[in-house]
Amino acid sequence: MTKRYDLIVRNARLAGRGGEAADIGVVGGLIAALGDLSDAGAADVFDAGGRLLLPPFAESHVHLDTTLTAGDPVWNESGTLAEGIAIWGARKAGLAKEDVIARAERTIRLYIGHGVLYLRAMVDIGDPKLAALEAVLELQERYRDRIDMQIVAFPQDGIASSPDNEARMAEALRMGADGVSAVPHLEATREEGVLSLRQAFALAERTGAFVHVFCDETDDESSRFLEVCASLALSTGLTSRVAAAHANAAAYYNEAYFQKILGLVKRSGLSIVACPLINSVMQGRYEAYPKGRGITRIKEFHRAGVNVALAHDDIRTPFYPLGTGNPLDAAHMAAHLAHMCGRSELAALIGMITEGGAEAMQLGEAYGYRNGEFRAGTPASFLLFDAEDARDLIGRRPAPRYVFRRGRVVAETVPAVASLRDDWSAERLEEL
Ligand SMILES: [Zn+2]
């Protein structure tokens, strides 16, 4: 007897297995089987047309409160962090919930169109009214059927230097936030930076929250908070529930110290979340030539077995005026900044916006895809691309042709078509 599925997606090519063809059988929104299902029947059949099959993208670091405010009310003309902070500081003083909802919702929709079905949102909790947090919590609920969102309570102005923020992070967790944060390199002293980390980790220990630290986002080689994060990840037992974002100072550590850090970070189980787009323009500002490359040492962390995620981060904010919400843009920038253009290195970068992001977010079985393989019993959420392989994806950065979530198409993008004036024949732009 032939097995019947709710849905069979026929003739996809598995990116994790070098383009091997396969069908996917779906029952109840979960992957029931993967392989040659040509003898099986289904209530519904979808022809993937030989398109490349990838797991959904997992975006592990984006700010949903600042998103889409570039130029509103003024542009950051110097492009510096200082001018960005001044502009955002004035803009956020009267931040209204409706304003955040309108911009964050557009951003979430952009992300879904680009195949992001798992998102970790940073929300500044410096505002006593917590208006931005309320807005993002509302969207988390509204979009529950289309995207899984985690929310990190982010104390932009520090914890030691802005003491109300500790209580406000606790309040944010009670309201429904999933993680806490700290910005140790912006605290007044090294000691206060360490104190702020202890406060964040203690809160996470008490509540079961994630820890997602803005860690060493500076070119100062004496900024050594990654070692504190790793040490606290070990001593608290929070291990892989800890993520250290940015970690730019690591690119400036002397080699003997960096090798020590590599071992410590590996043992701690924490994830490194690199944000190559914004850091490519924010770092190196104080340097004469030659300038650093604005990226943490993702190649070395990855080779040492540390989980590395790449995140898009800011989308059109006073800190970064560009951005599309396409994780492939982050991978593209990382390929350049981290010197990772080898064919297997490009495949590894795709891993960092899929499995790497999922591990940083600790999605576990909710994500399902692991070591380049889809697994039965996990959500039938995946992307179909008009692309050859990882190199082609990063090179052209197309939106997925189809985005499936739990066995249902939630987004599709029609490819751009160009007509050249010599004969007016229409062709897909990327194939010209
Ligand atoms: Zn950020």
Side-chain angles (χ1 to χ4, degrees):
M1 212 180 84
T2 58
K3 178 149 173 63
R4 276 192 72 82
Y5 298 94
D6 298 343
L7 167 72
I8 295 181
V9 176
R10 294 206 184 279
N11 190 23
R13 286 186 307 112
L14 301 170
R17 289 196 210 157
E20 186 186 310
D23 308 323
I24 308 144
V26 178
V27 175
L30 302 177
I31 294 175
L34 193 138
D36 180 3
L37 304 179
S38 48
D39 291 339
D44 196 6
V45 173
F46 185 97
D47 181 10
R51 292 191 173 90
L52 192 68
L53 179 75
L54 255 78
F57 293 138
E59 164 71 359
S60 52
H61 186 118
V62 64
H63 299 258
L64 284 188
D65 46 3
T66 57
T67 187
L68 305 180
T69 56
D72 168 20
V74 289
W75 294 97
N76 179 346
E77 289 295 349
S78 67
T80 57
L81 182 62
E83 189 172 342
I85 288 173
I87 293 170
W88 179 243
R91 176 75 165 73
K92 81 176 180 183
L95 200 62
K97 184 173 160 186
E98 300 67 39
D99 170 33
V100 178
I101 285 189
R103 290 181 287 99
E105 181 165 24
R106 274 181 65 202
T107 305
I108 290 166
R109 295 169 75 84
L110 261 178
Y111 267 125
I112 295 171
H114 283 295
V116 172
L117 297 183
Y118 303 89
L119 184 73
R120 179 175 275 189
M122 311 293 126
V123 180
D124 183 4
I125 47 79
D127 159 29
K129 299 197 304 290
L130 294 174
L133 178 67
E134 275 184 20
V136 177
L137 280 165
E138 204 170 301
L139 290 172
Q140 181 187 40
E141 184 57 34
R142 193 183 301 172
Y143 277 81
R144 183 165 292 275
D145 293 341
R146 281 167 280 181
I147 187 167
D148 285 322
M149 282 173 52
Q150 295 176 351
I151 299 172
V152 171
F154 165 49
Q156 168 91 67
D157 303 317
I159 305 173
S161 43
S162 196
D164 289 347
N165 274 346
E166 190 183 12
R168 239 176 257 140
M169 279 202 295
E171 173 61 15
L173 292 176
R174 280 191 292 275
M175 289 168 65
D178 306 280
V180 296
S181 186
V183 200
H185 57 280
L186 294 185
E187 302 285 5
T189 64
R190 157 83 185 175
E191 289 70 22
E192 289 180 17
V194 173
L195 175 66
S196 73
L197 285 173
R198 288 191 183 284
Q199 289 168 307
F201 275 79
L203 189 52
E205 243 186 319
R206 280 205 303 280
T207 57
F210 297 114
V211 179
H212 187 108
V213 177
F214 286 61
C215 189
D216 302 318
E217 192 180 7
T218 166
D219 304 327
D220 173 6
E221 77 276 7
S222 67
S223 186
R224 291 183 169 192
F225 293 106
L226 186 54
E227 65 181 11
V228 184
C229 287
S231 171
L232 285 170
L234 284 166
S235 64
T236 57
L238 287 166
T239 62
S240 57
R241 294 178 65 79
V242 178
H246 303 295
N248 296 96
Y252 291 85
Y253 295 158
N254 69 66
E255 198 57 28
Y257 177 64
F258 182 72
Q259 291 301 323
K260 177 199 139 179
I261 281 292
L262 258 190
L264 180 64
V265 169
K266 171 80 174 85
R267 264 193 297 129
S268 77
L270 70 70
S271 289
I272 299 286
V273 176
C275 307
L277 292 167
I278 184 156
N279 287 135
S280 72
V281 293
M282 278 295 165
Q283 308 311 124
R285 291 274 175 169
Y286 298 106
E287 292 168 33
Y289 290 94
K291 289 177 182 288
R293 299 180 69 89
I295 190 82
T296 191
R297 293 178 66 169
I298 62 176
K299 188 191 281 195
E300 289 77 11
F301 282 121
H302 174 70
R303 279 193 186 150
V306 173
N307 182 56
V308 179
L310 296 175
H312 186 298
D313 204 351
D314 286 48
I315 300 179
R316 304 175 216 160
T317 72
F319 305 94
Y320 184 72
L322 312 174
T324 55
N326 183 355
L328 291 169
D329 285 354
H332 184 257
M333 185 60 77
H336 292 82
L337 297 181
H339 296 136
M340 290 182 71
C341 283
R343 198 155 181 268
S344 61
E345 290 174 331
L346 292 164
L349 293 175
I350 294 294
M352 292 177 198
I353 52 177
T354 53
E355 286 182 73
E359 169 65 16
M361 293 171 70
Q362 291 286 284
L363 296 174
E365 292 301 290
Y367 189 71
Y369 188 88
R370 196 178 300 154
N371 299 324
E373 297 283 344
F374 288 94
R375 288 174 309 127
T378 63
S381 301
F382 42 78
L383 313 175
L384 289 171
F385 280 98
D386 287 319
E388 281 171 42
D389 55 13
R391 181 199 56 79
D392 188 30
L393 273 178
I394 294 175
R396 292 189 293 105
R397 304 175 299 290
R401 185 71 182 83
Y402 297 100
V403 180
F404 278 81
R405 178 173 156 91
R406 296 186 177 265
R408 188 168 69 92
V409 175
V410 292
E412 62 173 288
T413 296
V414 179
V417 170
S419 300
L420 297 202
R421 287 188 175 210
D422 50 2
D423 60 0
W424 292 106
S425 66
E427 290 171 81
R428 282 223 340 260
L429 187 59
E430 57 262 33
E431 286 174 353
L432 288 177

